[in-house]
Amino acid sequence: MADPLIQQVVSQLAAMHTQTEGNFPAQKAAIAWVQGFQNKPEAWMVSDQLLRTSFPTRDSEIHHFAATTLHTKIRRDFKDLPREAHASLRDSLLSHMMRYKADQLWVLEKVCMCIAALSIRMEGWPDPVKDIIATYGRPETIMPLMALLAVLPEECHRDKENLERVKRRAFEDQLNANAESVLQTTYAALTHSGSNTKIQEAVFRCFVSWLRHAKISPLLLVNNPLVVASFDALQCPDLVETVVDAICELIRINPTVLTQKAKQRNRKEGIVKFNTGRSSLETRQSQEQLVQLIFTKVLPLKAKYTEAVANDNWTLSHGICRIFTELAETNIPIFEQFGIEAQTICATLLECTTHPDPGIFILTLNFWQSLATSLLTIPEDKKTPTMTAYSAIFATLAQIVMKHMLIPSGFEQWAADAQDEFKTLRHEELTPTLRSASAIAGHEELLVKIHSDLVVYLGQYPQTQEWKPIEALLYAVLALVRTVPDVPLVQYTSLLVVSRFCEWLQSHPTLLSPLLDYVISKISVPDLAPAAAFSFRNLCDTCATHLCTCMDSIFLVIEASAKFNLEINEQKDILVGVSYVISALQSPQLVEALQRLCLPVAQALQNFAVAPVASSADTNGLSDTLYKLGTIFRHVKPPQDSSPCYIVFEKMWPLIDQLFTKYNTTDTVARALCSCCKDVISTCAHNILPLLPTIFDRLVTVLDLTRNTVPMAVLHSCIKKLPPDCLPSASSTLTQLYTTTLTRVTQRVMSLLPNSDEFTLHPDIVCNYFLLTHQFITDCPHTLCSCAPLLTSLLSWSMMGLQLQEHEGAKSLLRFYEGLFVAARKMPSFFSTLQSILETTLPNNALPIGPTLVQGLLLAAAGWQPMSQIPMLCDIFIAMRAASVQMFVSMLQRALVNFPLATVSQQTKQDLATSLSVQPLKETNMRHVLEDWYQVCTHPQPAQQVSLVVPPTTSMSS
């Protein structure tokens, strides 16, 4: 190890992995050095040498680092490696692969990942799968062969971002062509493994990988001995987890139907399924035989599950539960007939659901929910007598679920995280399952059973003090119980029960008054206040028409809550509840009640208005008060006329205006003022028009004095809520107001973002501004012709943001461009205006604005933006073509003439121009063209290193 660089790498790795007190600065520096080394060209050679060298200490760690570095270099920097070095790198990696045994599997797998990544990219290796099997298909090389074959399909799937689509598809075709040979080799390896479970595990892991990521036809599987071997291997404790994965993948090969969660899981895991849409008769027969074989092998596992539970074998119990759940979820239609297969699966999964460990019973819950949904969709005239059997099954399921809802012993001593996990389990998993069970078993029958149990436990409570079964029953069926034990957790759940039955109370108002009194009485209890306030809000929402007659009692809650020192969220829940009741009043009473509700808030705001400028602590109180006012107006929704809300706000506006003047530079208060105005505008709608110019002026003033983006969000919301055509009599007034305001906002934003660096530093400003302009283009298109100077300035300046990497900011900018051309397609008058702007050539720029914009968009598709933005760029080009194909092709050709990305050949540019000029051009084809463009341009030189010459911004008054 004479090479100084190798010695330095080893020493830095040692420092990076040394964790001692006071060593953090050195460890941080070592990490930075190592990351920098991995980006250097010499990392290729050094990593290879590290793999050839044995080290007395940390040997596996150093080798794993070297293999990881090579894997990263191959995936990211392969085009930097000379073509003549490809074969030597392959040979070197294959020799490294043979060095590692089963005890160094983590290094072996990483080396195999290097080989897999190389095999996809290397042009001089036409059929790597075939060559690998031919070279290493011997008993003494089983372990490295299985490891390498396992990662080949995985690497092809996981490397989509860095791989050209053509190469990836070509390699996928190679995998499919060699699938039969791989299965034969894998089974041969299994037969030669003897009792070596390490090799057997590698064999089944390879089998799983090919089932999951390759398109293996059922023709190859139906008679393949690996299928039966997977079930037989459940006898071996060391292989259970891997063979369960294999069995589950076999089940997924040809599902009858997939539940929604199963579909999401397959997409997340990148699972590729054999396409049965065009299968031959022979293939369909093989599918049916494979499904039958799987059922034949799975159903007898019920007895093995019972035995595993009795022997406390968690791994096998969990594995068999997974298998039955997978079989059930992918074959939901078989349960409509309730044949022997359905009966066995239901019985087994009921048994699995009774398991005390959440890690096992939670696997079954999605199936029960999906089955209930499927059964409920069967028409009544098609339900067979056997359907009644499901009532008993789901009644049993309900009892099992309620047992799992029981608070465990020692729960009070659990850590906070563990308690939260249990609460989440009850709320997100067990509750939906119980509702599904109730839908099939019968709501009334289930309530009768719960009621009888509840009476028993309540009668026993004075002697036993056992409250947990009571709490579980209250939580499970949400029964209405007023007399509950004086235990906080029980009372907390009982308050939530009242909230859950709000809709039922609306049709049974006789119970409303005592329950409302019960809820109000608990608002003063700190531990119960969140549940009480939440329940109060829901009662007022659902039963507002009944509560209109007791407004005095409702307002007593507001007055009393001021004394309880409630959290802000609890105060808001109470305000929202009262607002719901006020919304149900008639106009004269509504104004009076709303004034009464706003009076305490107005008094608090008046105190802030006359007092000296508040400290930071006091401004928080002012902000909270303003948010309360916004909460009131956001939730008071008169069913017909919103003028009562405007009447109240108009009287409060001078006070709000005074606070705007006093606190327009205080960020937290300014945000709260803007948010309050947004809520008022949303509720008052067109009635707010007399105050709208003044409100807009205050919003823009806040933007002029700060970098606060909330004013733009409010303006965006207002244009969306009140487009000019919403009130024909005020259309011209609104249009002029919006145009003037947008001009002021644009001037301010341009001053805040004078260059591309500022775009990068302030993505929130970019996002909110272009959302606003897009809304303006959408709702005020008839004014665009008069906005030519504004649009000229805006287009030339906006292109500095095309390199912005923040997703939402870049997305809003691209959406703005799309909106322009969509408006041009819809309005011929605006099209001529826009066309004139796009042909404008500004000083110090060789190209007009239009070709420069297309050039910028092509650079965005060449790497300035990530591949995830390709669909948005595709939408822009489609909108351009829809406006005028001739204009688009002209701009495209001029943009490509002086295209600043030197690594793109002339032929590539010609191909792009030809592809995008085709008429007609489908959206999917457009996307494929841009994806290929992205792949070509991002290798080997990132497009981010190129600077687009952006036209200078013209004066707003020009």
Side-chain angles (χ1 to χ4, degrees):
M1 197 175 65
D3 192 325
L5 184 55
I6 293 180
Q7 294 177 348
Q8 191 173 8
V9 171
V10 173
S11 63
Q12 293 292 344
L13 288 174
M16 189 173 72
H17 289 99
T18 301
Q19 297 182 354
T20 58
E21 187 175 354
N23 187 52
F24 179 72
Q27 190 179 32
K28 186 176 179 181
I31 292 173
W33 187 94
V34 167
Q35 290 174 342
F37 161 77
Q38 289 179 311
N39 292 324
K40 294 180 179 179
E42 50 265 34
W44 291 98
M45 179 187 65
V46 172
S47 298
D48 184 61
Q49 291 178 353
L50 286 171
L51 286 171
R52 294 181 183 279
T53 308
S54 297
F55 299 90
T57 58
R58 299 184 180 274
D59 184 73
S60 293
E61 288 181 6
I62 295 171
H63 286 180
H64 187 269
F65 164 79
T68 301
T69 301
L70 282 175
H71 184 232
T72 303
K73 300 289 286 183
I74 293 170
R75 294 179 64 178
R76 189 184 61 196
D77 304 327
F78 185 68
K79 290 196 174 180
D80 294 342
L81 191 68
R83 185 183 299 270
E84 56 271 17
H86 294 177
S88 61
L89 175 61
R90 175 196 61 192
D91 297 341
S92 181
L93 288 171
L94 289 171
S95 67
H96 294 322
M97 180 184 73
M98 299 306 299
R99 295 179 51 196
Y100 300 103
K101 308 300 180 185
D103 58 342
Q104 293 178 299
L105 192 59
W106 68 313
V107 182
L108 173 61
E109 288 183 351
K110 186 60 71 172
V111 172
C112 290
M113 289 167 65
C114 296
I115 300 170
L118 179 64
S119 67
I120 300 173
R121 293 165 174 80
M122 186 172 168
E123 295 180 359
W125 199 1
D127 197 343
V129 181
K130 182 178 179 181
D131 293 346
I132 289 167
I133 293 174
T135 305
Y136 299 100
R138 308 186 306 273
E140 62 271 18
T141 56
I142 287 178
M143 182 59 80
L145 175 63
M146 290 297 104
L148 181 52
L149 289 178
V151 300
L152 285 172
E154 293 174 355
E155 186 69 24
C156 185
H157 163 71
R158 111 177 105 228
D159 203 13
K160 290 182 179 179
E161 279 289 324
N162 298 303
L163 272 176
E164 297 176 27
R165 193 173 74 254
V166 174
K167 286 189 176 181
R168 187 176 73 248
R169 288 180 176 174
F171 194 77
E172 288 173 349
D173 291 340
Q174 284 189 25
L175 294 178
N176 298 334
N178 286 283
E180 183 175 7
S181 178
V182 169
L183 293 180
Q184 293 172 352
T185 302
T186 305
Y187 182 68
L190 182 65
T191 58
H192 288 90
S193 64
S195 59
N196 190 328
T197 56
K198 292 288 185 182
I199 293 178
Q200 293 168 4
E201 184 178 9
V203 167
F204 285 113
R205 184 185 176 282
C206 177
F207 188 36
V208 169
S209 177
W210 281 76
L211 288 173
R212 180 173 295 170
H213 298 297
K215 296 180 181 179
I216 300 181
S217 168
L219 289 167
L220 300 179
L221 291 171
V222 66
N223 294 316
N224 194 293
L226 275 173
V227 176
V228 176
S230 299
F231 287 92
D232 294 340
L234 288 170
Q235 305 288 345
C236 180
D238 295 336
L239 301 178
V240 169
E241 292 186 10
T242 307
V243 296
V244 166
D245 285 341
I247 294 169
C248 289
E249 294 303 329
L250 285 167
I251 293 171
R252 294 175 190 171
I253 286 285
N254 296 300
T256 306
V257 66
L258 282 179
T259 64
Q260 191 62 28
K261 286 190 177 181
K263 292 178 182 177
Q264 294 172 356
R265 179 188 62 225
N266 285 1
R267 284 195 295 268
K268 181 178 179 181
E269 296 177 1
I271 295 172
V272 178
K273 292 295 140 214
F274 182 74
N275 184 359
T276 62
R278 299 179 180 177
S279 55
S280 64
L281 175 61
E282 185 182 6
T283 302
R284 289 197 297 271
Q285 290 174 345
S286 298
Q287 293 166 3
E288 295 171 359
Q289 293 172 14
L290 181 59
V291 169
Q292 188 60 43
L293 173 62
I294 290 171
F295 271 91
T296 303
K297 289 293 183 180
V298 170
L299 297 185
L301 293 178
K302 181 181 185 300
K304 187 175 285 293
Y305 172 83
T306 305
E307 180 184 348
V309 173
N311 294 332
D312 200 21
N313 187 338
W314 187 93
T315 303
L316 185 56
S317 303
H318 181 270
I320 295 177
C321 181
R322 272 189 62 199
I323 292 171
F324 271 95
T325 302
E326 195 70 51
L327 187 65
E329 288 187 346
T330 53
N331 293 278
I332 289 290
I334 70 168
F335 293 91
E336 295 179 5
Q337 304 301 321
F338 202 60
I340 186 63
E341 295 90 352
Q343 295 176 37
T344 304
I345 294 173
C346 284
T348 306
L349 289 180
L350 270 181
E351 189 175 351
C352 293
T353 311
T354 62
H355 199 285
D357 192 326
I360 291 180
F361 74 70
I362 198 173
L363 297 175
T364 68
L365 302 186
N366 177 58
F367 161 70
W368 293 119
Q369 296 171 39
S370 301
L371 177 58
T373 302
S374 176
L375 295 175
L376 291 172
T377 59
I378 300 175
E380 289 294 331
D381 58 342
K382 293 185 179 180
K383 290 184 178 179
T384 61
T386 54
M387 287 289 292
T388 57
Y390 282 114
S391 297
I393 290 176
F394 277 91
T396 303
L397 175 66
Q399 299 300 316
I400 296 170
V401 170
M402 285 187 286
K403 287 182 180 179
H404 289 312
M405 285 180 166
L406 188 68
I407 291 178
S409 177
F411 179 79
E412 297 81 354
Q413 286 75 45
W414 286 12
D417 290 347
Q419 291 185 355
D420 289 342
E421 286 181 8
F422 176 75
K423 292 176 182 178
T424 301
L425 171 68
R426 289 210 303 182
H427 177 67
E428 296 184 3
E429 302 291 345
L430 294 174
T431 297
T433 307
L434 185 63
R435 290 172 183 166
S436 297
S438 176
I440 303 300
H443 300 289
E444 296 297 330
E445 293 81 354
L446 195 54
L447 284 173
V448 168
K449 177 67 172 68
I450 297 308
H451 178 264
S452 63
D453 291 345
L454 197 55
V455 169
V456 172
Y457 284 116
L458 284 170
Q460 295 174 351
Y461 178 75
Q463 292 77 33
T464 63
Q465 296 293 300
E466 184 57 61
W467 56 268
K468 290 180 180 177
I470 299 173
E471 191 275 344
L473 289 170
L474 287 173
Y475 189 95
V477 274
L478 307 175
L480 294 176
V481 180
R482 286 194 61 217
T483 306
V484 294
D486 190 16
V487 177
L489 275 174
V490 178
Q491 294 188 343
Y492 193 99
T493 299
S494 69
L495 289 165
L496 296 181
V497 168
V498 174
S499 173
R500 177 67 180 85
F501 269 80
C502 286
E503 294 183 3
W504 184 85
L505 283 172
Q506 201 274 338
S507 57
H508 298 78
T510 55
L511 292 175
L512 181 58
S513 179
L515 285 170
L516 183 63
D517 292 341
Y518 172 70
V519 170
I520 293 173
S521 70
K522 301 304 177 185
I523 292 177
S524 60
V525 182
D527 290 341
L528 302 180
F534 176 75
S535 185
F536 176 80
R537 169 179 172 161
N538 288 346
L539 281 172
C540 292
D541 180 18
T542 309
C543 306
T545 54
H546 297 300
L547 297 176
C548 287
T549 58
C550 52
M551 288 304 301
D552 289 338
S553 300
I554 294 294
F555 276 107
L556 285 176
V557 180
I558 296 290
E559 296 169 7
S561 63
K563 307 173 185 178
F564 297 151
N565 194 27
L566 300 179
E567 296 291 336
I568 185 65
N569 288 336
E570 295 154 14
Q571 296 178 44
K572 287 182 179 179
D573 274 343
I574 293 173
L575 286 174
V576 170
V578 179
S579 300
Y580 287 145
V581 179
I582 290 175
S583 300
L585 296 172
Q586 298 301 314
S587 183
Q589 294 83 9
L590 193 153
V591 173
E592 180 184 351
L594 183 56
Q595 287 177 332
R596 185 176 176 183
L597 180 60
C598 291
L599 181 60
V601 179
Q603 290 172 341
L605 293 177
Q606 180 65 35
N607 294 335
F608 282 107
V610 300
V613 176
S615 64
S616 59
D618 292 334
T619 57
N620 289 337
L622 174 55
S623 299
D624 288 344
T625 306
L626 288 165
Y627 284 124
K628 289 180 187 178
L629 183 62
T631 298
I632 293 171
F633 278 94
R634 184 163 68 252
H635 292 91
V636 173
K637 299 288 186 183
Q640 297 176 346
D641 182 17
S642 62
S643 58
C645 297
Y646 174 70
I647 293 171
V648 176
F649 182 73
E650 185 183 26
K651 295 178 180 179
M652 297 187 67
W653 172 249
L655 178 58
I656 302 296
D657 194 19
Q658 187 177 351
L659 291 170
F660 259 115
T661 304
K662 190 173 183 177
Y663 288 100
N664 54 18
T665 59
T666 305
D667 185 70
T668 55
V669 180
R671 285 176 179 273
L673 284 163
C674 296
S675 177
C676 180
C677 289
K678 177 182 177 181
D679 293 326
V680 171
I681 292 170
S682 176
T683 294
C684 295
H686 63 273
N687 290 295
I688 199 69
L689 289 180
L691 284 178
L692 207 55
T694 309
I695 293 174
F696 274 23
D697 179 71
R698 302 300 180 266
L699 293 172
V700 179
T701 301
V702 170
L703 181 62
D704 286 339
L705 297 175
T706 67
R707 291 179 178 269
N708 199 321
T709 62
V710 178
M712 289 189 286
V714 177
L715 293 169
H716 169 233
S717 175
C718 182
I719 295 176
K720 188 174 182 179
K721 178 73 176 179
L722 297 173
D725 57 1
C726 73
L727 197 64
S729 61
S731 177
S732 60
T733 304
L734 273 177
T735 298
Q736 182 60 39
L737 174 62
Y738 290 162
T739 305
T740 303
T741 303
L742 181 63
T743 302
R744 286 184 60 189
V745 171
T746 302
Q747 290 173 332
R748 173 57 176 163
V749 173
M750 285 184 175
S751 69
L752 292 174
L753 308 176
N755 53 56
S756 58
D757 290 340
E758 293 297 327
F759 271 79
T760 301
L761 290 173
H762 302 289
D764 55 331
I765 297 177
V766 178
C767 181
N768 281 280
Y769 174 73
F770 284 107
L771 285 175
L772 171 61
T773 53
H774 180 263
Q775 197 66 48
F776 178 81
I777 291 169
T778 302
D779 290 329
C780 309
H782 50 283
T783 66
L784 293 174
C785 295
S786 62
C787 298
L790 173 66
L791 287 176
T792 303
S793 248
L794 184 50
L795 272 173
S796 60
W797 162 79
S798 66
M799 284 184 273
M800 288 187 292
L802 283 172
Q803 296 188 66
L804 178 64
Q805 292 292 302
E806 196 273 332
H807 181 78
E808 292 303 321
K811 182 179 178 181
S812 65
L813 171 61
L814 298 178
R815 185 64 71 192
F816 158 72
Y817 290 139
E818 181 194 12
L820 273 179
F821 291 98
V822 169
R825 177 177 62 83
K826 293 180 178 178
M827 296 180 57
S829 58
F830 174 60
F831 171 77
S832 60
T833 301
L834 180 61
Q835 189 176 33
S836 176
I837 294 172
L838 295 174
E839 290 301 326
T840 302
T841 302
L842 299 177
N844 302 320
N845 198 66
L847 290 173
I849 290 176
T852 306
L853 173 60
V854 173
Q855 194 176 87
L857 294 172
L858 290 176
L859 283 167
W864 275 2
Q865 293 296 320
M867 184 175 277
S868 58
Q869 294 286 24
I870 291 293
M872 272 299 315
L873 293 162
C874 179
D875 290 343
I876 297 172
F877 287 136
I878 289 173
M880 284 183 172
R881 285 172 52 93
S884 171
V885 174
Q886 182 180 359
M887 179 184 71
F888 169 72
V889 171
S890 173
M891 293 190 299
L892 175 64
Q893 290 173 345
R894 285 178 286 173
L896 289 172
V897 169
N898 296 313
F899 194 69
L901 196 59
T903 56
V904 179
S905 67
Q906 186 64 31
Q907 184 61 47
T908 300
K909 290 188 283 187
Q910 290 176 359
D911 292 343
L912 177 70
T914 303
S915 299
L916 294 183
S917 303
V918 172
Q919 183 71 11
L921 180 61
K922 294 182 179 179
E923 181 180 353
T924 53
N925 295 338
M926 170 82 79
R927 185 173 300 184
H928 288 159
V929 169
L930 293 183
E931 286 176 353
D932 289 342
W933 172 256
Y934 175 90
Q935 294 290 352
V936 169
C937 294
T938 52
H939 298 88
Q941 181 181 359
Q944 288 85 341
Q945 298 175 3
V946 183
S947 296
L948 172 66
V949 180
V950 178
T953 305
T954 60
S955 169
M956 291 292 295
S957 59
S958 62

